[in-house]
Amino acid sequence: MSKKPAGETLYVILGLLFIAVIGLRTISTPELWTHLAQGQHNAPISFLASDSAVNTTWLYDKLAYLMWSIGKAPLLILLNIVGLVGAFVLLLRVSEKWGGALSQGFALLIAGHLMFQMIDVGPEVCMMLFIALFLYLLTTQKSPAVLFGALIPLQILWTNLHGSFLFGPILAGLVAAQAAQQAKPSGGRKKNQTNLSGTLGLLAIALLVATLINPSFIKLHGQVIAGIQSPAPVYHSSLFIEYFQIPALKPLILFTMILGAGGLITLKKRLPLTLTAIAVFGAFLVWTSPYHAMLFAILSLPFIVLSLTAISEYIHSSLEQMLGGKAKLVPGIMGGVLVLLFIASIIPAATGCAY
């Protein structure tokens, strides 16, 4: 693989720096203290023992309390940042096929602003990291031994860390469906694709079975389904809300959806089933509730890269007809705009003004 020009590398570095800066949060909400208490005492999550619910993050609670015992808040915050940045590094590898550094940089900028109001130190970063890790392995690895050997242990770990573990079998099933869709009507490739889709289908089933390996067995799945039917409140009330107004997130969500629709219209290649399906699902969730902004950002980033690339290629071809050779200046101008946007986004977050 050839090395990227220094300017293009800068776009990705600034994007990941922006993600790291917005992930630098103090522990200022009661959620993490609950996880630490659970990790220390393992008490039921209820006011009454008869009303106790299954703890869907029991392993995260144990590990969080262990890290707290070793390095207190600074270590937990650092690990939170590492997990967040690691998730986006993996997604950039997934999206390399669909766009270059400029599109990836703009996608990171959009994702960072989508997540800004929702990021906290907590198990949601585990959700983002495992989704990115599964996407990376499922889209880059073809060896059944590697897929089964890596994903099944990771699925067991994910099941005990966070209630989003059902995304594992779902992602494998989508990739299996995509492999079946790509099977050609003639030639030897059909057999290879059919074999791959069958292997991935078995993997999806194996991953679903692996989710049963947890202290609560099937009760954990019931708790997750109950959480979907009765989600946590989206907004947390505060006495100071009238004095410090939070910027509306819906306009950015709408802009991202329009951007995705533009990609659907202008892309000249066949749409990738997996990336399209998870982006649409993430859009549905976040439009229903901004509480899902972090999930939307991680599910949609590869598709945002795809859309940005498709739209930019369409615009560039139109400008070439109008401007001729001068159209070659447009990527450089857009790169300069992106750098300025990153600077304008990083400085307020780093200085605390954005909070």
Side-chain angles (χ1 to χ4, degrees):
M1 183 181 294
S2 60
K3 294 183 178 179
K4 294 179 181 178
E8 293 189 0
T9 304
L10 177 64
Y11 305 148
V12 174
I13 291 174
L14 285 174
L16 294 175
L17 177 61
F18 178 48
I19 297 297
V21 168
I22 64 172
L24 183 62
R25 301 295 176 102
T26 58
I27 299 174
S28 55
T29 61
E31 182 185 1
L32 186 67
W33 302 112
T34 302
H35 289 297
L36 292 174
Q38 290 291 326
Q40 182 180 11
H41 301 293
N42 199 28
I45 309 174
S46 65
F47 293 105
L48 300 173
S50 59
D51 248 355
S52 62
V54 174
N55 186 359
T56 59
T57 61
W58 75 271
L59 184 56
Y60 173 85
D61 298 349
K62 293 289 185 184
L63 293 176
Y65 180 70
L66 176 62
M67 294 300 104
W68 178 271
S69 302
I70 295 172
K72 302 298 180 185
L75 181 57
L76 280 178
I77 293 170
L78 177 61
L79 291 175
N80 209 63
I81 295 172
V82 169
L84 192 64
V85 173
F88 282 96
V89 168
L90 290 168
L91 286 181
L92 290 178
R93 296 297 303 276
V94 173
S95 64
E96 280 179 344
K97 177 182 177 182
W98 302 101
L102 186 59
S103 295
Q104 290 177 340
F106 273 109
L108 288 171
L109 181 70
I110 294 169
H113 282 285
L114 280 170
M115 300 185 303
F116 182 78
Q117 295 180 23
M118 301 299 172
I119 290 178
D120 211 338
V121 181
E124 289 76 16
V125 171
C126 292
M127 169 191 71
M128 300 179 75
L129 181 59
F130 274 91
I131 288 175
L133 187 56
F134 269 58
L135 266 179
Y136 171 73
L137 290 173
L138 286 167
T139 55
T140 60
Q141 298 295 323
K142 303 300 181 186
S143 169
V146 172
L147 290 172
F148 278 84
L151 290 180
I152 290 178
L154 286 172
Q155 180 65 68
I156 296 171
L157 185 62
W158 188 0
T159 301
N160 292 280
L161 282 170
H162 193 263
S164 60
F165 60 87
L166 290 176
F167 273 107
I170 291 171
L171 289 173
L174 286 173
V175 175
Q178 180 173 295
Q181 181 193 51
Q182 292 173 346
K184 298 295 181 181
S186 61
R189 191 180 172 188
K190 179 181 179 182
K191 182 178 179 180
N192 293 336
Q193 289 289 346
T194 303
N195 290 340
L196 179 60
S197 64
T199 300
L200 290 169
L202 290 174
L203 176 63
I205 295 171
L207 292 176
L208 185 60
V209 173
T211 63
L212 297 174
I213 303 177
N214 68 84
S216 303
F217 195 57
I218 197 69
K219 289 183 179 180
L220 177 63
H221 300 69
Q223 182 64 43
V224 169
I225 294 171
I228 295 172
Q229 294 174 342
S230 303
V234 176
Y235 301 106
H236 300 276
S237 180
S238 168
L239 293 173
F240 301 100
I241 192 68
E242 297 299 329
Y243 302 97
F244 300 96
Q245 198 64 40
I246 300 173
L249 193 58
K250 285 282 187 179
L252 181 58
I253 295 171
L254 180 60
F255 169 77
T256 308
M257 290 182 179
I258 294 172
L259 187 67
L264 289 172
I265 296 169
T266 56
L267 183 68
K268 296 179 180 179
K269 303 176 183 178
R270 175 186 286 183
L271 282 170
L273 175 64
T274 303
L275 300 185
T276 306
I278 62 176
V280 171
F281 179 67
F284 169 77
L285 288 178
V286 78
W287 192 254
T288 304
S289 166
Y291 179 78
H292 297 294
M294 292 179 67
L295 183 58
F296 175 52
I298 208 75
L299 290 176
S300 65
L301 187 127
F303 194 83
I304 293 174
V305 172
L306 177 154
S307 297
L308 285 166
T309 303
I311 293 171
S312 64
E313 288 176 352
Y314 177 79
I315 294 174
H316 190 266
S317 64
S318 301
L319 289 175
E320 277 187 331
Q321 296 175 3
M322 297 170 56
L323 303 176
K326 293 181 180 179
K328 294 180 180 179
L329 299 175
V330 174
I333 294 172
M334 293 305 298
V337 171
L338 177 60
V339 171
L340 292 176
L341 288 173
F342 272 131
I343 293 172
S345 300
I346 290 172
I347 290 177
T351 59
C353 294
Y355 300 95

